[in-house]
Amino acid sequence: MEESPLLPEPRNNRRRLGQDLQPVGDYAGIQPYYRVCEDVQAVHHQDKCGPEAFQSGDWWWSQGRIRFLNGKAFIGLSAAQLLIPYLWGGLVLVGGGMMLLHYASKVELPDELKSLLGLGVVLGWIALSMFLIIKTLPWVMSAAAFLLKPFEKGLSRITDRSLKAGESYFSRETGQVSFAMPGGKKLTAPFEEFDAYVERVIEAGGIFYRLMFVHRYTAKQFSQTSLSRVEPTKEEVMALWDMLQRYMDTSQPLPDVPRLEPFRHLDPVTAEHDGRIGRNPRFWRDLDLEAWKQGEGKEWLKRQMEYPWDKRKCRLTPQLGKISMAEYRKLRPADAWPI
């Protein structure tokens, strides 16, 4: 973002308690390390199906858009995917344990020994059930898929509707961002209208972080997305924001991340950049991930953790209030959310 546009002042204070407002336009050039490691495996799997596999509707990243799920659709689909393993795990662990305890209680022993027997049965069954769950889960998932086969078309329609309702995107082509909202609505607005925050998420295991977006002029916020998952380190979230900014800046080459590699040659700025530096067009798709983690990847992680993130300068904030809301409305895309 070489020059930030003139923007009106927001109605609300941009500072939020427990959430760190992220600067705009000062790039670190750092990719989110843990996401890259996960995405390498996804790219390897997709690549086995042939080059055309990346052109399918199932692959949500390209040179033009990064698509993702937002809100209840994302949460609902994730819960549905986890439901069967949890049900099976609960049945084996709790159901099997209660059955064994029932039989153990019928053994004729003194109360003290019976209590010890019950404790031994519980501890032993916990260990054994974990082994059984791991070994039988693939079979259970296959059996569930077989049983649901007659309902496949109906479930597919439900899933497609849920995906369509929750689909959101960052568009490098139009410079707009779209977030799915309840009731089938979409909040679509220019990228520069969104403020990014690192949000603290307090869970039983401690404090975690995720990327949250707030539309500056309506105060609508979006954090429950498949794009910005809960992360153990703040630096990983800030690297994700850095990557998204560079993706949306058409003066910059596409971020060098696995999911975008099959499309780099289709973006003129990126193609010119890759030709100039002699980049291997299949670097991520042919990568030995474990070897990379021990070498170059270790340096990537070190740089991410040691980068002076707090020294970044925001190029957007000084531009706020330089234009009236009435004047700015005339400059916005016709399909943008009303402000």
Side-chain angles (χ1 to χ4, degrees), residues 19-257:
Q19 299 162 353
D20 298 331
L21 178 62
Q22 295 302 292
V24 175
D26 188 356
Y27 308 140
I30 293 176
Q31 322 298 359
Y33 172 80
Y34 295 106
R35 176 178 290 272
V36 164
C37 292
E38 289 181 21
D39 288 352
V40 166
Q41 300 175 61
V43 167
H44 284 182
H45 174 77
Q46 195 80 352
D47 192 49
K48 291 176 182 177
C49 302
E52 66 282 354
F54 293 105
Q55 307 301 327
S56 72
D58 296 334
W59 196 256
W60 281 32
W61 292 44
S62 73
Q63 82 284 3
R65 283 187 177 186
I66 290 177
R67 296 185 292 155
F68 59 95
L69 290 175
N70 177 59
K72 292 181 179 179
F74 167 56
I75 298 168
L77 287 173
S78 298
Q81 291 172 345
L82 292 173
L83 184 61
I84 293 174
Y86 275 112
L87 286 174
W88 178 244
L91 179 64
V92 173
L93 181 63
V94 179
M98 291 180 66
M99 184 177 67
L100 287 175
L101 283 174
H102 172 72
Y103 286 113
S105 66
K106 294 185 176 298
V107 178
E108 295 295 332
L109 287 172
D111 290 343
E112 293 81 1
L113 291 177
K114 188 174 286 189
S115 297
L116 288 174
L117 176 62
L119 179 62
V121 166
V122 169
L123 295 177
W125 179 245
I126 289 174
L128 180 59
S129 64
M130 292 298 104
F131 174 79
L132 291 174
I133 291 168
I134 292 171
K135 288 295 184 181
T136 58
L137 190 56
W139 177 85
V140 170
M141 297 299 286
S142 297
F146 176 78
L147 292 173
L148 292 173
K149 191 73 174 176
F151 311 101
E152 188 173 354
K153 289 184 178 180
L155 290 171
S156 179
R157 283 195 293 269
I158 294 171
T159 301
D160 288 345
R161 283 200 298 269
S162 184
L163 285 171
K164 188 174 181 180
E167 185 179 323
S168 309
Y169 62 78
F170 282 80
S171 175
R172 183 174 168 96
E173 294 172 328
T174 66
Q176 295 201 89
V177 180
S178 183
F179 283 97
M181 298 177 64
K185 297 179 181 178
K186 306 272 186 181
L187 192 161
T188 303
F191 175 65
E192 58 267 18
E193 290 186 11
F194 290 90
D195 286 325
Y197 295 82
V198 175
E199 180 186 27
R200 291 171 179 82
V201 181
I202 300 175
E203 296 184 351
I207 299 177
F208 298 87
Y209 308 90
R210 70 181 166 205
L211 190 59
M212 181 180 78
F213 300 95
V214 177
H215 185 240
R216 192 180 307 114
Y217 301 109
T218 62
K220 295 185 184 298
Q221 63 182 52
F222 308 94
S223 60
Q224 301 285 349
T225 72
S226 60
L227 182 67
S228 54
R229 299 160 299 186
V230 174
E231 302 287 355
T233 69
K234 190 175 180 179
E235 291 79 10
E236 177 78 3
V237 180
M238 291 187 288
L240 173 62
W241 171 235
D242 192 80
M243 183 201 77
L244 287 172
Q245 288 186 85
R246 287 180 282 116
Y247 177 83
M248 294 297 287
D249 186 345
T250 54
S251 71
Q252 297 284 316
L254 291 171
D256 198 345
V257 293

